[in-house]
């Protein structure tokens, strides 16, 4: 499923925002590690885990939307590998929505 690095990805314009959000999530995960090391209350840790999951899910949704509006829409308009792109989108939706 990995494409060439020479390809311009549809999320390009939001790359700085995505990077900022992912760095924040990385900090949240480090905070979780610290909470466990400090024997913090289980419920507090679980609340933070839920926050990390939600933040990561939102980043994924942003990239998924960008991919659909950019890469997939372009393939459909140009009739270029359209079935392959639709199949790829369905597969990534299946993976993304797994629990």
């Amino acid at each position: 499923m990995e494409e060439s690095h020479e390809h311009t990805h549809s999320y390009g314009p939001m790359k700085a925002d995505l990077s900022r959000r992912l760095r924040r999530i990385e900090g949240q995960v480090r905070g979780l590690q610290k909470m466990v090391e400090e024997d913090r209350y289980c419920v507090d840790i679980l609340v933070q885990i839920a926050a990390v999951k939600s933040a990561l899910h939102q980043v994924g949704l942003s990239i998924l939307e960008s991919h659909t509006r950019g890469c997939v829409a372009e393939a459909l308009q140009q009739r270029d590998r359209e079935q392959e792109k639709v199949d790829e989108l369905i597969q990534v939706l299946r993976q993304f929505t797994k629990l």
Side-chain angles (χ1 to χ4, degrees):
M1 214 186 290
E2 188 174 323
E3 293 193 23
S4 167
H5 292 288
E6 297 170 13
H7 176 74
T8 302
H9 296 287
S10 57
Y11 61 81
M14 30 190 254
K15 196 172 180 179
D17 179 60
L18 291 170
S19 292
R20 179 185 54 77
R21 291 163 67 184
L22 287 168
R23 281 191 302 276
R24 185 180 309 144
I25 292 166
E26 182 181 23
Q28 288 176 296
V29 171
R30 280 194 303 273
L32 278 167
Q33 291 170 322
K34 187 176 179 182
M35 289 176 81
V36 169
E37 290 168 3
E38 294 174 350
D39 295 320
R40 295 280 299 272
Y41 185 53
C42 301
V43 172
D44 294 340
I45 295 170
L46 291 168
V47 167
Q48 289 305 309
I49 289 172
V52 169
K53 284 174 56 176
S54 177
L56 196 53
H57 188 76
Q58 290 304 313
V59 169
L61 283 175
S62 294
I63 293 173
L64 183 58
E65 179 180 356
S66 174
H67 176 66
T68 303
R69 293 183 186 276
C71 302
V72 176
E74 183 180 312
L76 293 175
Q77 285 176 343
Q78 296 179 1
R79 313 279 278 155
D80 176 38
R81 300 177 9 220
E82 58 196 28
Q83 190 58 50
E84 178 184 332
K85 283 292 184 185
V86 169
D87 291 345
E88 177 186 66
L89 179 60
I90 291 168
Q91 180 61 34
V92 78
L93 283 169
R94 284 187 176 129
Q95 289 174 327
F96 188 73
T97 57
K98 275 186 185 176
L99 293 178

